Amino acid sequence: MVTIKSKREIELMREVCKITALTHKAIEEAIKPGMTTQELDQIAENAMKKYGAISAEKGYDPGIRGVPPYPAATCISINDEVIHGVPSSKRYIQDGDIVSVDLVALKNGFNGDAARTYLVGNVSKDAKRLVETTKQAFFEGIKYAKKGNRIGDISHAIGEYVQSQGYSVVREFQGHGIGKEMHEDPGIPNYGKSGKGLRIEPGMTLAIEPMVIQGKHNILELDDGWTIVTEDGSLSAHYENTILITENEPEVLTIL
Ligand code: MF3
Ligand code: CO
């Protein structure tokens, strides 16, 4: 269901999204080679708690037979891992890694969703360009996140930009509406046709999230039922914010 948020609901979205951004700030300050992804996850969980929120990802039930509820507070995906990497006490972050952290804070019944790909230590020029392009793809997309446009306009802008830079977008996962539910309608693919899809209206809150692969678009799911990796082993990056559609320019709620 597509939801249009009331004034009061928008204030609650603002508040939880600010916490999501502050949690990313805590991660950015803490991340370093030699730590485990579980340690980083704990830092994120502590930050959310400090600001009066909880993780909406922890215990999240995807509703797929045989897949257990998500066990951690954040998703941490390194290098060729695209999304949904499960934090582990055995997984060490190393110099040169690109580390995608995707987190959803929940407070007062509303969700704020954002992902960043962090550069750890000495990262190659190629990897940096991938990460920068993924971030820019988000900003290319939200140029079209305006009253009267259609969802396909956002999708098209993201897909075309990524392709123009020589990279691929992931096709099996997409952005989404967000509010009381982490995933609401509409789905927002990172590729598509302009002029297609739902008309964009003020009061919509949307999570726009390009997932970009250096090589071919194909992905695989690991046996843990969660972790998504690139099939060709090339690097992948993720950049996501929750935005608010207004009468004019969109407001990015998960940037401080
Ligand atoms: N934050 C992710 C999203 O955008 C969802 C994470 S899946 C979960 O869409 F299981 F970790 F919650
Ligand atoms: Co999302």
Side-chain angles (χ1 to χ4, degrees):
M1 199 182 54
V2 178
T3 58
I4 301 295
K5 277 74 182 176
S6 68
K7 254 196 154 139
R8 181 189 142 268
E9 289 175 326
I10 288 169
E11 285 318 307
L12 295 176
M13 283 299 291
R14 271 190 224 290
E15 186 184 349
V16 73
C17 286
K18 186 172 180 192
I19 295 170
T20 300
L22 287 165
T23 303
H24 269 295
K25 186 165 179 250
I27 292 167
E28 186 176 14
E29 286 167 5
I31 193 167
K32 58 176 192 297
M35 76 196 298
T36 67
T37 52
Q38 187 179 67
E39 287 173 302
L40 197 58
D41 185 70
Q42 192 59 58
I43 285 162
E45 190 165 26
N46 291 345
M48 286 188 256
K49 191 171 171 194
K50 173 173 152 192
Y51 299 117
I54 60 167
S55 162
E57 292 182 345
K58 199 168 203 170
Y60 179 79
D61 183 353
I64 302 164
R65 217 168 65 97
V67 180
Y70 191 71
T74 64
C75 299
I76 306 183
S77 312
I78 304 179
N79 297 337
D80 66 319
E81 296 169 351
V82 181
I83 50 168
H84 301 170
V86 182
S88 158
S89 61
K90 297 189 186 84
R91 187 69 192 273
Y92 287 86
I93 293 167
Q94 295 180 313
D95 184 71
D97 282 349
I98 61 169
V99 180
S100 300
V101 181
D102 185 3
L103 66 95
V104 185
L106 173 64
K107 184 176 182 179
N108 295 321
F110 285 86
N111 292 276
D113 191 353
R116 302 282 181 266
T117 299
Y118 295 101
L119 306 173
V120 179
N122 258 313
V123 171
S124 74
K125 247 177 80 184
D126 282 359
K128 271 188 196 159
R129 188 175 79 89
L130 172 71
V131 171
E132 271 311 304
T133 301
T134 305
K135 179 177 180 178
Q136 188 57 32
F138 166 85
F139 288 100
E140 294 299 323
I142 68 164
K143 288 179 183 170
Y144 296 87
K146 283 187 193 165
K147 179 181 172 179
N149 285 351
R150 291 182 185 271
I151 293 296
D153 298 333
I154 301 173
S155 300
H156 178 76
I158 293 172
E160 288 299 303
Y161 176 71
V162 169
Q163 209 186 11
S164 78
Q165 299 304 305
Y167 298 133
S168 311
V169 293
V170 172
R171 304 188 187 171
E172 292 83 352
F173 295 89
Q174 57 184 6
H176 48 92
I178 182 167
K180 286 184 182 162
E181 303 291 335
M182 175 161 68
H183 294 140
E184 298 184 355
D185 290 334
I188 309 172
N190 291 306
Y191 67 98
K193 288 203 170 77
S194 32
K196 299 278 179 197
L198 191 75
R199 206 178 280 283
I200 297 168
E201 287 176 50
M204 288 181 169
T205 47
L206 307 172
I208 312 282
E209 51 176 318
M211 290 157 263
V212 178
I213 298 178
Q214 211 175 23
K216 289 209 202 60
H217 72 86
N218 311 68
I219 56 168
L220 296 171
E221 185 185 281
L222 298 188
D223 288 338
D224 61 12
W226 284 107
T227 313
I228 303 296
V229 299
T230 63
E231 190 179 87
D232 63 10
S234 69
L235 299 174
S236 180
H238 190 191
Y239 186 85
E240 173 180 29
N241 285 302
T242 299
I243 68 167
L244 169 68
I245 304 301
T246 73
E247 291 292 335
N248 304 296
E249 297 300 311
E251 231 181 279
V252 182
L253 302 180
T254 45
I255 292 181
L256 290 174

